[in-house]
Amino acid sequence: MQDIYFWIIFNAFILTMLVLDLGVFHKKDKVDSLQQSLLWVGFWMLLAFTFNALVYFWKGPTLAFQFTTGYIIEWSLSVDNLFVFIVIFSFFKVPEKLQHRVLFWGILVALILRGVFILAGVTLFKEFESLMYVFGAILIFTALRMILKREDEEPDLSKNAIVRFTKKLFPVIDHYHGNKFFVKERGKLVATPLFLVLMVINFTDIVFAVDSIPAVLAVSKDMFIVYTSNIFAVLGLRSMYFALNALVHVFRYLKYGIAIILVFVGSKMLTAHYYEISTTTTLAVVLTVLVSSIVISLLFRKKKR
């Protein structure tokens, strides 16, 4: 019974924070400055580690440490997701002041879908341990694809399957109507390009969940840890997007750090039955790689100047 109460209280709290985020602090469509975005990133991270302190006293140090590792892995992998969001918004020429609303609804959908994926993932991992090898291979393949992808490669999203599918479901007009996803034109309900962007964002997050959730499952099989660390990382995506969008030219080597993390976590899953890598080692490696890629990016930028 306590577990049921936990899920209700936790999800009610998350929903409340999202409502406050959009309905109070970002009620008006406006662009946050870099300083405001960084403050919000700090707020969401502080919230996550405050929750982790509660986990420490409630569930013990082992699960608290797993939460920290899972959160940092999910947070770092989310950065690659945000780079794709930048490309999507750029392709559809979404006004900056409307991007927040799309990200808010995208994150809300992501929270629901990831809850379903995590439940399925934990259940499948417990029933079929051999799936660990499959997901480990997927993570390594994703890392190699990330490294080999050309930086100047721009996708043609007009041919995207989700775009074509959405246009078959709804008539889509070619101009924005403020922050509306649907409007009536000539007595007919039509979708705006903003709804099209939302659909692409949601599909993109589903694709990335295939990588990120198995990566956290490599750290912990506890539903509590996997779910909460994932949710807290997703909560800060909106603010992190605007901060990253302003600094995207700075962190040139960050994607290589993320790729190395994917290879490491994938290798951990492939060798789990032969050699167990501790959570402490995993956290140390992830932090070292993440910080190193950021530092190298900053040093390269200074050298370039």
Side-chain angles (χ1 to χ4, degrees), residues 267-281:
S267 301
K268 178 182 177 179
M269 297 177 84
L270 291 175
T271 60
H273 288 290
Y274 308 100
Y275 180 76
E276 184 177 354
I277 300 175
S278 68
T279 306
T280 307
T281 303

Side-chain angles (χ1 to χ4, degrees), residues 138-157:
I138 289 174
L139 293 181
I140 293 174
F141 173 76
T142 303
L144 293 175
R145 188 179 60 184
M146 190 184 299
I147 293 171
L148 296 174
K149 183 180 178 181
R150 289 172 51 189
E151 289 186 8
D152 58 349
E153 186 180 340
E154 293 290 340
D156 184 2
L157 294 176

Side-chain angles (χ1 to χ4, degrees), residues 203-245:
F203 177 75
T204 302
D205 187 73
I206 291 173
V207 173
F208 275 90
V210 175
D211 298 328
S212 62
I213 292 175
V216 180
L217 286 171
V219 175
S220 176
K221 305 297 185 300
D222 189 293
M223 177 76 75
F224 170 85
I225 295 300
V226 177
Y227 180 75
T228 54
S229 61
N230 212 280
I231 294 305
F232 271 110
V234 172
L235 272 179
L237 277 182
R238 181 201 59 79
S239 303
M240 192 160 63
Y241 166 81
F242 289 106
L244 184 65
N245 193 25

Side-chain angles (χ1 to χ4, degrees), residues 63-117:
L63 288 183
F65 209 68
Q66 289 179 2
F67 176 93
T68 303
T69 308
Y71 174 78
I72 292 174
I73 287 176
E74 179 61 33
W75 187 88
S76 60
L77 296 183
S78 295
V79 172
D80 189 51
N81 202 352
L82 296 179
F83 280 120
V84 177
F85 287 177
I86 292 172
V87 173
I88 293 171
F89 284 138
S90 175
F91 180 86
F92 287 102
K93 298 180 175 61
V94 182
E96 279 191 273
K97 66 180 183 179
L98 299 180
Q99 292 176 8
H100 167 78
R101 187 165 294 270
V102 176
L103 288 172
F104 170 83
W105 289 106
I107 288 170
L108 187 61
V109 173
L111 293 177
I112 297 170
L113 291 177
R114 291 200 177 208
V116 175
F117 290 162

